[in-house]
Structures are given as C-alpha cells and as structure tokens.
Amino acid sequence: MPELPEVETICRQLAPYLSGKKIARVKVVDPLITAPEKARAFSRRVNGQTIESVSRRGKYLLLNLKSGDTLVFHLRMTGRLTQARLPIGKNYRQHLRLVLELSGGSALTFHDARRFGKAFVLSPDEVEIYWKKLGPEPLERSFNVRYLERVVGKRTRPIKSLLLDQSIVAGVGNIYADEALYRAGIHPERPAGEIDSAEAKRLAGAIKATLRRAIELQGSSIDTYRDARGGSGSFQNTFRVHRREGKPCPGCGGTVKKIKVGGRGTYFCPSCQK
DNA sequence: CGTTAGCCCTGCTGGC
DNA sequence: TGCCAGCAGGGCTAAC
C-alpha cells in the first residue's frame, strides 16, 4: 500500500544515502521478487553498478545506474526498502527478499511479507516504453482541471476506479483516492463522465492538496509501512474517512460508511459526498 | 476500445 | 482458547 507519498518519502531518504555508491554484491533471497527474470540475470545487470541517482515515478522507486539501466522497485502491499549495515542480523531476516550490498559496508534491504513486491531492471528503451503506459504525475502542472475533464470524458466507471487507474494518473492508491474524493465532496461511485467542470476542479485540487500534505507528514503508517530509516509517517492520524467505518465524519458528524468499489474497500461520508 | 473479474500471495481478523 | 475460512489489495491478463 505504499503510494506516492510513501514512495516519495523513501526516495528522499535514499537519494543521499545511495547516490554515488557502488553495488558490490546482489543477493536475491527470494527469486519471486525478480520473476519472471531469473535471479542470475537480474544480478548480472546490477552487480558492480554505480548508483548515479534515485528518483520516483508514480509508485515506482528508481535507482538510476551508471550503465544507463534503471533498477526499478515496486513495493505493492507490504514491501519495505531499508537502509542497513552489514552483516544483516539474524532477527532481521524474516521476509527478507533482496539485499544490495554497497561499497563501504552499508546495504539496501528489501523485505516483503506478502511477496507481491517487484524488483526489475529496464534498459533506456524499455524505460521509455514503460513510463508511456503511466499517466501524468499528479503533482505536476500537466495534471490539472483540463486534463481531468478530458479523461473522465463519457466514461461510465466509478470515479474512484478511474483515480486508481495508473494509466490515468500515476501514484494514487486506495488511501489517497478515498481522502481526495472526500475532500472534493464527490461520491466514489459517481460515473466518471458525470463529473462536471466545477467538480473536476475541486478534485484536481483535492488530489494535489492531499498528496502534498501526506508527503509533509511522511506518508501513512498503517499495516506494515515504514520508511527507509524504519520510521513511521503520520498522515494516518489525519484520515477523514479512510479506515474510519462507523466513526463520525469530521465535516457533518454523520457516520462514515464502507462499501466496495471496483473490488476495493472504500470509505466515504454519504452526506458530504454526492 | 472500455470495463470488469480473477489471479497472485500470506498475515491477520472475525466468527464459532 | 484454538481453529480456519476469508479478507486485504496493485497491477496484470483474460474475457466480455
């Protein structure tokens, strides 16, 4: 469930930690994490490489290698990237999936309880193709009212499903879709095409404001999320509706409801969101 | 093309 | 108290 704010937090921490360091050794503890690429092929492309910079695209964390290749991580539900020292301690090995041993005795570890997470390498050509499938970054200018009005078009799917679609906008997940829709006063099941321009304006603003605030608070630490230094975010303390079923809506005092939208647990206030 | 359902995984929750 | 079915969900693919 790490979404844009969580990956951004990790990215900002890892940038100074990893930049300029050399990957001295790769240990693929669980080959499922690099699948379908074989652990050996993965290691060959990463081993000995220098990390030039660290960046983010949507929910993907990117290590830009000197070879021109990009080492891509996706944390999915329970993935964790952590700054570590060598050797990796015994009680640190539960759910350990991948270790990048770095020059100078430091390391980057990848833990993942549910094994949904991914690590893979893309060539410059592949990167270009890959990012084309993703929508704009929600915090950039290109994501605005006009864009939102255009993509809702005459689509019939629920607006929340549209927001979760990474080809529409990159980085919004279940938490921030719920919170942004609440902030915009829009019901998550509203057919996207019914969103008018005033609502589109509110929604674009709500998405940006929600993500910006979440980044300031270093993300939401619910379930297993921790940042690259093992720390917690605090945006979860400001949730208006997400995971607050049965609790009072901070706006009207009514009761927050939980439904399923596109197979995802969805929280909203029936009286504030129309 | 647009949309939806099912699958991958395993720790945790809720019901009995 | 102990057990276990079922839930959680991001992104991909298949199917409609």
Side-chain angles (χ1 to χ4, degrees):
Chain A
M1 134 221 338
E3 306 178 23
L4 187 152
E6 290 76 27
V7 181
E8 178 65 23
T9 300
I10 293 168
C11 178
R12 290 179 184 186
Q13 294 177 337
L14 289 182
Y17 179 73
L18 294 178
S19 295
K21 287 219 172 80
K22 187 177 170 181
I23 301 169
R25 198 147 83 107
V26 182
K27 278 189 178 170
V28 180
V29 181
D30 179 0
L32 184 62
I33 260 55
T34 60
E37 183 160 33
K38 294 263 193 286
R40 189 172 301 206
F42 173 87
S43 299
R44 201 181 314 124
R45 295 178 73 177
V46 174
N47 236 327
Q49 282 298 318
T50 297
I51 301 164
E52 290 202 318
S53 60
V54 180
S55 52
R56 178 191 62 74
R57 176 81 169 94
K59 302 176 196 171
Y60 296 87
L61 185 89
L62 318 174
L63 306 194
N64 306 297
L65 307 179
K66 200 162 189 176
S67 61
D69 284 350
T70 305
L71 173 48
V72 184
F73 289 99
H74 198 299
L75 305 178
R76 294 285 186 96
M77 306 300 301
T78 52
R80 283 177 61 180
L81 282 168
T82 315
Q83 302 173 189
R85 297 297 302 177
L86 293 172
I88 305 300
K90 264 215 171 61
N91 49 8
Y92 201 67
R93 289 182 198 166
Q94 191 185 22
H95 304 143
L96 182 64
R97 307 296 174 196
L98 177 72
V99 183
L100 299 186
E101 299 185 5
L102 307 167
S103 48
S106 58
L108 180 71
T109 56
F110 185 52
H111 288 74
D112 189 8
R114 228 167 285 180
R115 304 172 80 204
F116 266 26
K118 285 290 167 198
F120 53 94
V121 185
L122 298 178
S123 69
D125 288 352
E126 291 169 327
V127 164
E128 201 169 321
I129 295 165
Y130 213 89
W131 298 152
K132 268 189 190 153
K133 292 187 265 182
L134 280 187
E137 286 291 321
L139 292 177
E140 286 183 5
R141 246 194 261 281
S142 59
F143 181 78
N144 53 31
V145 201
R146 262 173 292 115
Y147 174 79
L148 209 47
E149 280 192 275
R150 182 163 65 75
V151 293
V152 295
K154 293 185 174 21
R155 289 169 198 256
T156 56
R157 14 170 3 191
I159 184 63
K160 180 176 176 186
S161 297
L162 199 78
L163 296 183
L164 293 179
D165 185 335
Q166 301 299 296
S167 71
I168 299 292
V169 53
V172 176
N174 209 31
I175 296 171
Y176 301 104
D178 279 356
E179 291 297 309
L181 284 166
Y182 172 81
R183 200 167 179 139
I186 297 170
H187 194 294
E189 285 180 306
R190 280 276 298 288
E194 283 183 11
I195 301 296
D196 66 30
S197 58
E199 290 169 328
K201 186 174 182 183
R202 292 209 306 272
L203 185 53
I207 291 168
K208 287 175 190 282
T210 302
L211 294 174
R212 283 205 191 99
R213 184 64 183 143
I215 291 170
E216 282 173 9
L217 296 181
Q218 300 184 295
S220 304
S221 283
I222 51 177
D223 297 338
T224 60
Y225 172 73
R226 291 292 182 280
D227 64 31
R229 296 170 190 157
S232 299
S234 55
F235 189 77
Q236 71 279 5
N237 301 326
T238 76
F239 284 173
R240 314 282 220 280
V241 288
H242 189 72
R243 298 210 178 189
R244 296 191 68 248
E245 183 183 19
K247 296 205 168 79
C249 162
C252 72
T255 306
V256 173
K257 293 277 183 299
K258 183 184 183 187
I259 56 173
K260 284 242 180 208
V261 179
R264 304 286 175 243
T266 298
Y267 303 81
F268 73 108
C269 172
S271 57
C272 294
Q273 295 175 255
K274 299 295 178 190

